[in-house]
Amino acid sequence: MGSAAAKRPELTRSHGNWNCGVYGGLWRMLANGQLPSAGPILVTGATGGVGTLAIDIFTRAGFAVQAISGKTEQFEYLKSLGATAVIDRHSVDFGSRPLESAQWAGALDNVGGAMLGDLCRVIKPWGSIASCGMAGGHEVHTTVMPFIIRGVSILGINSANTPMPIRAELWRRLASDWKPAHLDKIVQSEVSLSGLPDVFARLIKGGALGRVVVVQTPARFHPARLGHRWHGKANSGVRAWQPELKAFVSPFDRSLCTKLPLHCG
C-alpha cells in the first residue's frame, strides 16, 4: 500500500506545507504546451491564498502574470508579488458573445462560476485555463466555440490525489526554480485553532489577503486526545502511543508542532 505523504522541501520559513494546486496548475499548463512566449497569464481571485502564490510562482517560471481583483487598495501589493498589471474585476468587460477578442495566453482560475465561463471566450488559441477553485460558484456556462475554434483547454487540478511521482517532482521544483520569492509577503498572519472563527468571518466578508498559517501546538496531540488511537495506559509512558501518534501526524509534519497553511482565497 503506497503512502500519501511526500517529503517536503526546506523553505526559507517553516510555511512549506503548501498543497499542489498552484504547482499542479503550472505543471499541467506546461505539459499542455503553455509557453511564456505565448503571452501573459491571467490569475483570478488574485489577493487570496491561491492567487498570491500563483502570481509569485508563475513569475518565477518565466511567465508575465496579470492579476484580476476587486480589491483596488491591494493593487500595489499584487504588483510587488510580480504582477505586471492588475485589473479591477468590477470594471472588466469580457463581453457576451461565444468568442470575444483574445487577450490572454492562459489563466489560472480559482474563482469558477461565471468567471470561468468568461475566461473561455477571451483566451488565445491553444491557451490553457487551469481550474483549481470555485469561490464564485461550481456551475460553468459556456459554448463549445472556444474549444473547437481556438483549441482552448480547461485543465482540472486535483491536488488531493496528485500521483506520487508528480507530487515528488512538484516538491523538487518548489525547492529550486519554482521556489516562492515572496513568502514573507504572502503569509499575512499566524493563528491558533481558537482564532479560526475570526478568520472565517473575514473570509466570508470577502476580506481574503494572502494566507493565514494555523499553528498547532503539541497539546493537540496529547495521547488522551487521540481517542481510539490511544492503546496504552496513562502511566505507560510515551512508547505506548508514540507509533500511533507518528502515523497520526505524518501527513503534515513529523514534528509535534506543525504549521499548516489555511487557504484564504
PDB file of all heavy atoms in Angstrom, residues 156-187:
ATOM      1  N   GLY A 156      -8.212  20.434 -15.321  1.00  0.00           N
ATOM      2  CA  GLY A 156      -8.629  20.227 -13.939  1.00  0.00           C
ATOM      3  C   GLY A 156      -7.439  19.978 -13.037  1.00  0.00           C
ATOM      4  O   GLY A 156      -6.468  19.332 -13.426  1.00  0.00           O
ATOM      5  N   ILE A 157      -7.523  20.510 -11.807  1.00  0.00           N
ATOM      6  CA  ILE A 157      -6.456  20.338 -10.829  1.00  0.00           C
ATOM      7  C   ILE A 157      -7.030  19.646  -9.599  1.00  0.00           C
ATOM      8  O   ILE A 157      -7.930  20.166  -8.956  1.00  0.00           O
ATOM      9  CB  ILE A 157      -5.841  21.685 -10.406  1.00  0.00           C
ATOM     10  CG1 ILE A 157      -5.469  22.519 -11.628  1.00  0.00           C
ATOM     11  CG2 ILE A 157      -4.643  21.462  -9.496  1.00  0.00           C
ATOM     12  CD1 ILE A 157      -4.501  21.844 -12.566  1.00  0.00           C
ATOM     13  N   ASN A 158      -6.527  18.465  -9.295  1.00  0.00           N
ATOM     14  CA  ASN A 158      -6.962  17.713  -8.123  1.00  0.00           C
ATOM     15  C   ASN A 158      -5.761  17.524  -7.214  1.00  0.00           C
ATOM     16  O   ASN A 158      -5.046  16.528  -7.297  1.00  0.00           O
ATOM     17  CB  ASN A 158      -7.550  16.362  -8.543  1.00  0.00           C
ATOM     18  CG  ASN A 158      -8.040  15.553  -7.354  1.00  0.00           C
ATOM     19  OD1 ASN A 158      -7.978  15.998  -6.221  1.00  0.00           O
ATOM     20  ND2 ASN A 158      -8.524  14.365  -7.627  1.00  0.00           N
ATOM     21  N   SER A 159      -5.501  18.514  -6.371  1.00  0.00           N
ATOM     22  CA  SER A 159      -4.281  18.480  -5.572  1.00  0.00           C
ATOM     23  C   SER A 159      -4.284  17.356  -4.546  1.00  0.00           C
ATOM     24  O   SER A 159      -3.224  16.834  -4.195  1.00  0.00           O
ATOM     25  CB  SER A 159      -4.083  19.825  -4.862  1.00  0.00           C
ATOM     26  OG  SER A 159      -5.165  20.124  -4.010  1.00  0.00           O
ATOM     27  N   ALA A 160      -5.467  16.963  -4.059  1.00  0.00           N
ATOM     28  CA  ALA A 160      -5.524  15.947  -3.009  1.00  0.00           C
ATOM     29  C   ALA A 160      -5.060  14.581  -3.498  1.00  0.00           C
ATOM     30  O   ALA A 160      -4.505  13.800  -2.726  1.00  0.00           O
ATOM     31  CB  ALA A 160      -6.944  15.848  -2.464  1.00  0.00           C
ATOM     32  N   ASN A 161      -5.287  14.283  -4.775  1.00  0.00           N
ATOM     33  CA  ASN A 161      -4.942  12.961  -5.295  1.00  0.00           C
ATOM     34  C   ASN A 161      -3.895  13.036  -6.405  1.00  0.00           C
ATOM     35  O   ASN A 161      -3.874  12.206  -7.304  1.00  0.00           O
ATOM     36  CB  ASN A 161      -6.204  12.262  -5.827  1.00  0.00           C
ATOM     37  CG  ASN A 161      -7.184  11.933  -4.719  1.00  0.00           C
ATOM     38  OD1 ASN A 161      -6.809  11.407  -3.677  1.00  0.00           O
ATOM     39  ND2 ASN A 161      -8.451  12.265  -4.932  1.00  0.00           N
ATOM     40  N   THR A 162      -3.026  14.028  -6.320  1.00  0.00           N
ATOM     41  CA  THR A 162      -1.932  14.110  -7.287  1.00  0.00           C
ATOM     42  C   THR A 162      -1.056  12.869  -7.163  1.00  0.00           C
ATOM     43  O   THR A 162      -0.617  12.529  -6.057  1.00  0.00           O
ATOM     44  CB  THR A 162      -1.072  15.358  -7.025  1.00  0.00           C
ATOM     45  OG1 THR A 162      -1.905  16.521  -7.119  1.00  0.00           O
ATOM     46  CG2 THR A 162       0.056  15.460  -8.031  1.00  0.00           C
ATOM     47  N   PRO A 163      -0.798  12.149  -8.264  1.00  0.00           N
ATOM     48  CA  PRO A 163       0.031  10.939  -8.184  1.00  0.00           C
ATOM     49  C   PRO A 163       1.394  11.234  -7.562  1.00  0.00           C
ATOM     50  O   PRO A 163       1.969  12.311  -7.764  1.00  0.00           O
ATOM     51  CB  PRO A 163       0.171  10.516  -9.655  1.00  0.00           C
ATOM     52  CG  PRO A 163      -1.047  11.084 -10.319  1.00  0.00           C
ATOM     53  CD  PRO A 163      -1.304  12.391  -9.625  1.00  0.00           C
ATOM     54  N   MET A 164       1.911  10.275  -6.807  1.00  0.00           N
ATOM     55  CA  MET A 164       3.136  10.498  -6.067  1.00  0.00           C
ATOM     56  C   MET A 164       4.327  10.907  -6.938  1.00  0.00           C
ATOM     57  O   MET A 164       5.082  11.799  -6.559  1.00  0.00           O
ATOM     58  CB  MET A 164       3.483   9.254  -5.238  1.00  0.00           C
ATOM     59  CG  MET A 164       4.689   9.447  -4.328  1.00  0.00           C
ATOM     60  SD  MET A 164       4.519  10.895  -3.242  1.00  0.00           S
ATOM     61  CE  MET A 164       3.150  10.369  -2.212  1.00  0.00           C
ATOM     62  N   PRO A 165       4.548  10.310  -8.115  1.00  0.00           N
ATOM     63  CA  PRO A 165       5.678  10.761  -8.935  1.00  0.00           C
ATOM     64  C   PRO A 165       5.573  12.239  -9.322  1.00  0.00           C
ATOM     65  O   PRO A 165       6.572  12.959  -9.320  1.00  0.00           O
ATOM     66  CB  PRO A 165       5.604   9.851 -10.166  1.00  0.00           C
ATOM     67  CG  PRO A 165       4.908   8.630  -9.695  1.00  0.00           C
ATOM     68  CD  PRO A 165       3.886   9.123  -8.714  1.00  0.00           C
ATOM     69  N   ILE A 166       4.353  12.688  -9.637  1.00  0.00           N
ATOM     70  CA  ILE A 166       4.156  14.097  -9.981  1.00  0.00           C
ATOM     71  C   ILE A 166       4.333  14.960  -8.743  1.00  0.00           C
ATOM     72  O   ILE A 166       4.970  16.019  -8.785  1.00  0.00           O
ATOM     73  CB  ILE A 166       2.764  14.318 -10.598  1.00  0.00           C
ATOM     74  CG1 ILE A 166       2.617  13.519 -11.896  1.00  0.00           C
ATOM     75  CG2 ILE A 166       2.507  15.805 -10.839  1.00  0.00           C
ATOM     76  CD1 ILE A 166       1.239  13.589 -12.513  1.00  0.00           C
ATOM     77  N   ARG A 167       3.778  14.508  -7.621  1.00  0.00           N
ATOM     78  CA  ARG A 167       3.909  15.269  -6.375  1.00  0.00           C
ATOM     79  C   ARG A 167       5.392  15.455  -6.006  1.00  0.00           C
ATOM     80  O   ARG A 167       5.815  16.545  -5.620  1.00  0.00           O
ATOM     81  CB  ARG A 167       3.176  14.530  -5.258  1.00  0.00           C
ATOM     82  CG  ARG A 167       3.035  15.307  -3.964  1.00  0.00           C
ATOM     83  CD  ARG A 167       2.346  14.454  -2.916  1.00  0.00           C
ATOM     84  NE  ARG A 167       0.993  14.116  -3.308  1.00  0.00           N
ATOM     85  CZ  ARG A 167      -0.075  14.817  -2.945  1.00  0.00           C
ATOM     86  NH1 ARG A 167       0.068  15.897  -2.198  1.00  0.00           N
ATOM     87  NH2 ARG A 167      -1.283  14.439  -3.329  1.00  0.00           N
ATOM     88  N   ALA A 168       6.180  14.391  -6.132  1.00  0.00           N
ATOM     89  CA  ALA A 168       7.603  14.488  -5.810  1.00  0.00           C
ATOM     90  C   ALA A 168       8.310  15.476  -6.731  1.00  0.00           C
ATOM     91  O   ALA A 168       9.177  16.244  -6.299  1.00  0.00           O
ATOM     92  CB  ALA A 168       8.250  13.103  -5.904  1.00  0.00           C
ATOM     93  N   GLU A 169       7.936  15.464  -8.008  1.00  0.00           N
ATOM     94  CA  GLU A 169       8.543  16.401  -8.960  1.00  0.00           C
ATOM     95  C   GLU A 169       8.139  17.836  -8.632  1.00  0.00           C
ATOM     96  O   GLU A 169       8.963  18.758  -8.731  1.00  0.00           O
ATOM     97  CB  GLU A 169       8.127  16.041 -10.384  1.00  0.00           C
ATOM     98  CG  GLU A 169       8.556  17.031 -11.457  1.00  0.00           C
ATOM     99  CD  GLU A 169      10.063  17.170 -11.596  1.00  0.00           C
ATOM    100  OE1 GLU A 169      10.801  16.338 -11.027  1.00  0.00           O
ATOM    101  OE2 GLU A 169      10.509  18.110 -12.274  1.00  0.00           O
ATOM    102  N   LEU A 170       6.887  18.038  -8.233  1.00  0.00           N
ATOM    103  CA  LEU A 170       6.446  19.383  -7.870  1.00  0.00           C
ATOM    104  C   LEU A 170       7.195  19.893  -6.653  1.00  0.00           C
ATOM    105  O   LEU A 170       7.596  21.058  -6.592  1.00  0.00           O
ATOM    106  CB  LEU A 170       4.937  19.389  -7.613  1.00  0.00           C
ATOM    107  CG  LEU A 170       4.038  19.100  -8.812  1.00  0.00           C
ATOM    108  CD1 LEU A 170       2.579  19.149  -8.402  1.00  0.00           C
ATOM    109  CD2 LEU A 170       4.305  20.080  -9.939  1.00  0.00           C
ATOM    110  N   TRP A 171       7.397  19.030  -5.658  1.00  0.00           N
ATOM    111  CA  TRP A 171       8.161  19.419  -4.476  1.00  0.00           C
ATOM    112  C   TRP A 171       9.598  19.772  -4.875  1.00  0.00           C
ATOM    113  O   TRP A 171      10.187  20.720  -4.344  1.00  0.00           O
ATOM    114  CB  TRP A 171       8.178  18.306  -3.442  1.00  0.00           C
ATOM    115  CG  TRP A 171       6.935  18.148  -2.625  1.00  0.00           C
ATOM    116  CD1 TRP A 171       6.236  16.993  -2.415  1.00  0.00           C
ATOM    117  CD2 TRP A 171       6.233  19.158  -1.877  1.00  0.00           C
ATOM    118  NE1 TRP A 171       5.158  17.227  -1.602  1.00  0.00           N
ATOM    119  CE2 TRP A 171       5.130  18.544  -1.258  1.00  0.00           C
ATOM    120  CE3 TRP A 171       6.440  20.527  -1.689  1.00  0.00           C
ATOM    121  CZ2 TRP A 171       4.234  19.236  -0.453  1.00  0.00           C
ATOM    122  CZ3 TRP A 171       5.541  21.223  -0.885  1.00  0.00           C
ATOM    123  CH2 TRP A 171       4.460  20.582  -0.283  1.00  0.00           C
ATOM    124  N   ARG A 172      10.170  18.990  -5.797  1.00  0.00           N
ATOM    125  CA  ARG A 172      11.542  19.263  -6.227  1.00  0.00           C
ATOM    126  C   ARG A 172      11.626  20.645  -6.882  1.00  0.00           C
ATOM    127  O   ARG A 172      12.546  21.423  -6.594  1.00  0.00           O
ATOM    128  CB  ARG A 172      12.012  18.186  -7.209  1.00  0.00           C
ATOM    129  CG  ARG A 172      13.482  18.327  -7.598  1.00  0.00           C
ATOM    130  CD  ARG A 172      13.855  17.392  -8.726  1.00  0.00           C
ATOM    131  NE  ARG A 172      13.236  17.792  -9.993  1.00  0.00           N
ATOM    132  CZ  ARG A 172      13.697  18.773 -10.775  1.00  0.00           C
ATOM    133  NH1 ARG A 172      14.755  19.473 -10.401  1.00  0.00           N
ATOM    134  NH2 ARG A 172      13.080  19.074 -11.916  1.00  0.00           N
ATOM    135  N   ARG A 173      10.670  20.943  -7.749  1.00  0.00           N
ATOM    136  CA  ARG A 173      10.670  22.240  -8.426  1.00  0.00           C
ATOM    137  C   ARG A 173      10.404  23.368  -7.424  1.00  0.00           C
ATOM    138  O   ARG A 173      10.962  24.467  -7.544  1.00  0.00           O
ATOM    139  CB  ARG A 173       9.610  22.264  -9.530  1.00  0.00           C
ATOM    140  CG  ARG A 173       9.785  21.219 -10.619  1.00  0.00           C
ATOM    141  CD  ARG A 173      11.018  21.461 -11.462  1.00  0.00           C
ATOM    142  NE  ARG A 173      10.971  22.680 -12.238  1.00  0.00           N
ATOM    143  CZ  ARG A 173      10.441  22.757 -13.475  1.00  0.00           C
ATOM    144  NH1 ARG A 173       9.907  21.684 -14.047  1.00  0.00           N
ATOM    145  NH2 ARG A 173      10.461  23.897 -14.136  1.00  0.00           N
ATOM    146  N   LEU A 174       9.537  23.094  -6.436  1.00  0.00           N
ATOM    147  CA  LEU A 174       9.237  24.084  -5.412  1.00  0.00           C
ATOM    148  C   LEU A 174      10.491  24.466  -4.637  1.00  0.00           C
ATOM    149  O   LEU A 174      10.655  25.617  -4.223  1.00  0.00           O
ATOM    150  CB  LEU A 174       8.178  23.536  -4.450  1.00  0.00           C
ATOM    151  CG  LEU A 174       7.903  24.320  -3.156  1.00  0.00           C
ATOM    152  CD1 LEU A 174       7.432  25.722  -3.486  1.00  0.00           C
ATOM    153  CD2 LEU A 174       6.863  23.588  -2.319  1.00  0.00           C
ATOM    154  N   ALA A 175      11.401  23.527  -4.443  1.00  0.00           N
ATOM    155  CA  ALA A 175      12.629  23.797  -3.694  1.00  0.00           C
ATOM    156  C   ALA A 175      13.719  24.391  -4.570  1.00  0.00           C
ATOM    157  O   ALA A 175      14.782  24.757  -4.059  1.00  0.00           O
ATOM    158  CB  ALA A 175      13.133  22.503  -3.059  1.00  0.00           C
ATOM    159  N   SER A 176      13.467  24.514  -5.881  1.00  0.00           N
ATOM    160  CA  SER A 176      14.517  25.014  -6.764  1.00  0.00           C
ATOM    161  C   SER A 176      14.007  26.182  -7.603  1.00  0.00           C
ATOM    162  O   SER A 176      13.819  27.289  -7.092  1.00  0.00           O
ATOM    163  CB  SER A 176      15.052  23.874  -7.644  1.00  0.00           C
ATOM    164  OG  SER A 176      13.999  23.240  -8.383  1.00  0.00           O
ATOM    165  N   ASP A 177      13.742  25.949  -8.892  1.00  0.00           N
ATOM    166  CA  ASP A 177      13.423  27.066  -9.786  1.00  0.00           C
ATOM    167  C   ASP A 177      12.038  27.654  -9.580  1.00  0.00           C
ATOM    168  O   ASP A 177      11.761  28.764 -10.024  1.00  0.00           O
ATOM    169  CB  ASP A 177      13.601  26.642 -11.250  1.00  0.00           C
ATOM    170  CG  ASP A 177      12.857  25.374 -11.610  1.00  0.00           C
ATOM    171  OD1 ASP A 177      12.721  24.494 -10.743  1.00  0.00           O
ATOM    172  OD2 ASP A 177      12.414  25.247 -12.769  1.00  0.00           O
ATOM    173  N   TRP A 178      11.119  26.922  -8.919  1.00  0.00           N
ATOM    174  CA  TRP A 178       9.796  27.480  -8.635  1.00  0.00           C
ATOM    175  C   TRP A 178       9.664  27.946  -7.186  1.00  0.00           C
ATOM    176  O   TRP A 178       8.567  28.213  -6.713  1.00  0.00           O
ATOM    177  CB  TRP A 178       8.702  26.452  -8.912  1.00  0.00           C
ATOM    178  CG  TRP A 178       8.525  26.120 -10.354  1.00  0.00           C
ATOM    179  CD1 TRP A 178       9.147  26.685 -11.426  1.00  0.00           C
ATOM    180  CD2 TRP A 178       7.653  25.112 -10.885  1.00  0.00           C
ATOM    181  NE1 TRP A 178       8.721  26.102 -12.601  1.00  0.00           N
ATOM    182  CE2 TRP A 178       7.811  25.128 -12.299  1.00  0.00           C
ATOM    183  CE3 TRP A 178       6.761  24.201 -10.321  1.00  0.00           C
ATOM    184  CZ2 TRP A 178       7.104  24.269 -13.136  1.00  0.00           C
ATOM    185  CZ3 TRP A 178       6.053  23.335 -11.154  1.00  0.00           C
ATOM    186  CH2 TRP A 178       6.235  23.382 -12.554  1.00  0.00           C
ATOM    187  N   LYS A 179      10.744  28.043  -6.491  1.00  0.00           N
ATOM    188  CA  LYS A 179      10.688  28.413  -5.074  1.00  0.00           C
ATOM    189  C   LYS A 179      10.089  29.806  -4.915  1.00  0.00           C
ATOM    190  O   LYS A 179      10.548  30.763  -5.551  1.00  0.00           O
ATOM    191  CB  LYS A 179      12.091  28.389  -4.479  1.00  0.00           C
ATOM    192  CG  LYS A 179      12.129  28.615  -2.978  1.00  0.00           C
ATOM    193  CD  LYS A 179      13.553  28.445  -2.456  1.00  0.00           C
ATOM    194  CE  LYS A 179      13.604  28.621  -0.951  1.00  0.00           C
ATOM    195  NZ  LYS A 179      14.980  28.409  -0.437  1.00  0.00           N
ATOM    196  N   PRO A 180       9.039  29.961  -4.099  1.00  0.00           N
ATOM    197  CA  PRO A 180       8.409  31.279  -3.944  1.00  0.00           C
ATOM    198  C   PRO A 180       9.408  32.327  -3.460  1.00  0.00           C
ATOM    199  O   PRO A 180      10.229  32.065  -2.582  1.00  0.00           O
ATOM    200  CB  PRO A 180       7.321  31.026  -2.887  1.00  0.00           C
ATOM    201  CG  PRO A 180       7.072  29.556  -2.939  1.00  0.00           C
ATOM    202  CD  PRO A 180       8.383  28.931  -3.278  1.00  0.00           C
ATOM    203  N   ALA A 181       9.309  33.502  -4.035  1.00  0.00           N
ATOM    204  CA  ALA A 181      10.233  34.582  -3.682  1.00  0.00           C
ATOM    205  C   ALA A 181       9.654  35.544  -2.659  1.00  0.00           C
ATOM    206  O   ALA A 181      10.378  36.378  -2.115  1.00  0.00           O
ATOM    207  CB  ALA A 181      10.635  35.355  -4.943  1.00  0.00           C
ATOM    208  N   HIS A 182       8.342  35.443  -2.396  1.00  0.00           N
ATOM    209  CA  HIS A 182       7.698  36.444  -1.542  1.00  0.00           C
ATOM    210  C   HIS A 182       6.838  35.819  -0.446  1.00  0.00           C
ATOM    211  O   HIS A 182       5.767  36.336  -0.125  1.00  0.00           O
ATOM    212  CB  HIS A 182       6.828  37.378  -2.401  1.00  0.00           C
ATOM    213  CG  HIS A 182       7.578  38.083  -3.472  1.00  0.00           C
ATOM    214  ND1 HIS A 182       7.631  37.624  -4.774  1.00  0.00           N
ATOM    215  CD2 HIS A 182       8.331  39.217  -3.451  1.00  0.00           C
ATOM    216  CE1 HIS A 182       8.355  38.448  -5.504  1.00  0.00           C
ATOM    217  NE2 HIS A 182       8.807  39.413  -4.725  1.00  0.00           N
ATOM    218  N   LEU A 183       7.304  34.742   0.158  1.00  0.00           N
ATOM    219  CA  LEU A 183       6.508  34.100   1.215  1.00  0.00           C
ATOM    220  C   LEU A 183       6.252  35.048   2.377  1.00  0.00           C
ATOM    221  O   LEU A 183       5.186  35.007   3.001  1.00  0.00           O
ATOM    222  CB  LEU A 183       7.211  32.842   1.724  1.00  0.00           C
ATOM    223  CG  LEU A 183       7.077  31.580   0.870  1.00  0.00           C
ATOM    224  CD1 LEU A 183       7.779  30.419   1.554  1.00  0.00           C
ATOM    225  CD2 LEU A 183       5.615  31.240   0.626  1.00  0.00           C
ATOM    226  N   ASP A 184       7.230  35.889   2.690  1.00  0.00           N
ATOM    227  CA  ASP A 184       7.038  36.807   3.813  1.00  0.00           C
ATOM    228  C   ASP A 184       5.919  37.805   3.560  1.00  0.00           C
ATOM    229  O   ASP A 184       5.333  38.329   4.505  1.00  0.00           O
ATOM    230  CB  ASP A 184       8.341  37.552   4.108  1.00  0.00           C
ATOM    231  CG  ASP A 184       9.392  36.649   4.743  1.00  0.00           C
ATOM    232  OD1 ASP A 184       9.005  35.612   5.285  1.00  0.00           O
ATOM    233  OD2 ASP A 184      10.586  36.984   4.673  1.00  0.00           O
ATOM    234  N   LYS A 185       5.634  38.078   2.282  1.00  0.00           N
ATOM    235  CA  LYS A 185       4.520  38.974   1.952  1.00  0.00           C
ATOM    236  C   LYS A 185       3.209  38.215   1.826  1.00  0.00           C
ATOM    237  O   LYS A 185       2.139  38.761   2.103  1.00  0.00           O
ATOM    238  CB  LYS A 185       4.807  39.700   0.634  1.00  0.00           C
ATOM    239  CG  LYS A 185       5.950  40.689   0.678  1.00  0.00           C
ATOM    240  CD  LYS A 185       6.111  41.382  -0.673  1.00  0.00           C
ATOM    241  CE  LYS A 185       7.240  42.394  -0.650  1.00  0.00           C
ATOM    242  NZ  LYS A 185       7.395  43.084  -1.956  1.00  0.00           N
ATOM    243  N   ILE A 186       3.290  36.957   1.387  1.00  0.00           N
ATOM    244  CA  ILE A 186       2.075  36.168   1.154  1.00  0.00           C
ATOM    245  C   ILE A 186       1.471  35.688   2.469  1.00  0.00           C
ATOM    246  O   ILE A 186       0.250  35.703   2.650  1.00  0.00           O
ATOM    247  CB  ILE A 186       2.386  34.987   0.219  1.00  0.00           C
ATOM    248  CG1 ILE A 186       2.749  35.510  -1.173  1.00  0.00           C
ATOM    249  CG2 ILE A 186       1.209  34.024   0.138  1.00  0.00           C
ATOM    250  CD1 ILE A 186       3.247  34.443  -2.122  1.00  0.00           C
ATOM    251  N   VAL A 187       2.321  35.241   3.396  1.00  0.00           N
ATOM    252  CA  VAL A 187       1.834  34.810   4.706  1.00  0.00           C
ATOM    253  C   VAL A 187       1.542  36.050   5.540  1.00  0.00           C
ATOM    254  O   VAL A 187       2.454  36.773   5.935  1.00  0.00           O
ATOM    255  CB  VAL A 187       2.863  33.917   5.418  1.00  0.00           C
ATOM    256  CG1 VAL A 187       2.374  33.562   6.824  1.00  0.00           C
ATOM    257  CG2 VAL A 187       3.099  32.641   4.620  1.00  0.00           C
TER     258      VAL A 187
END
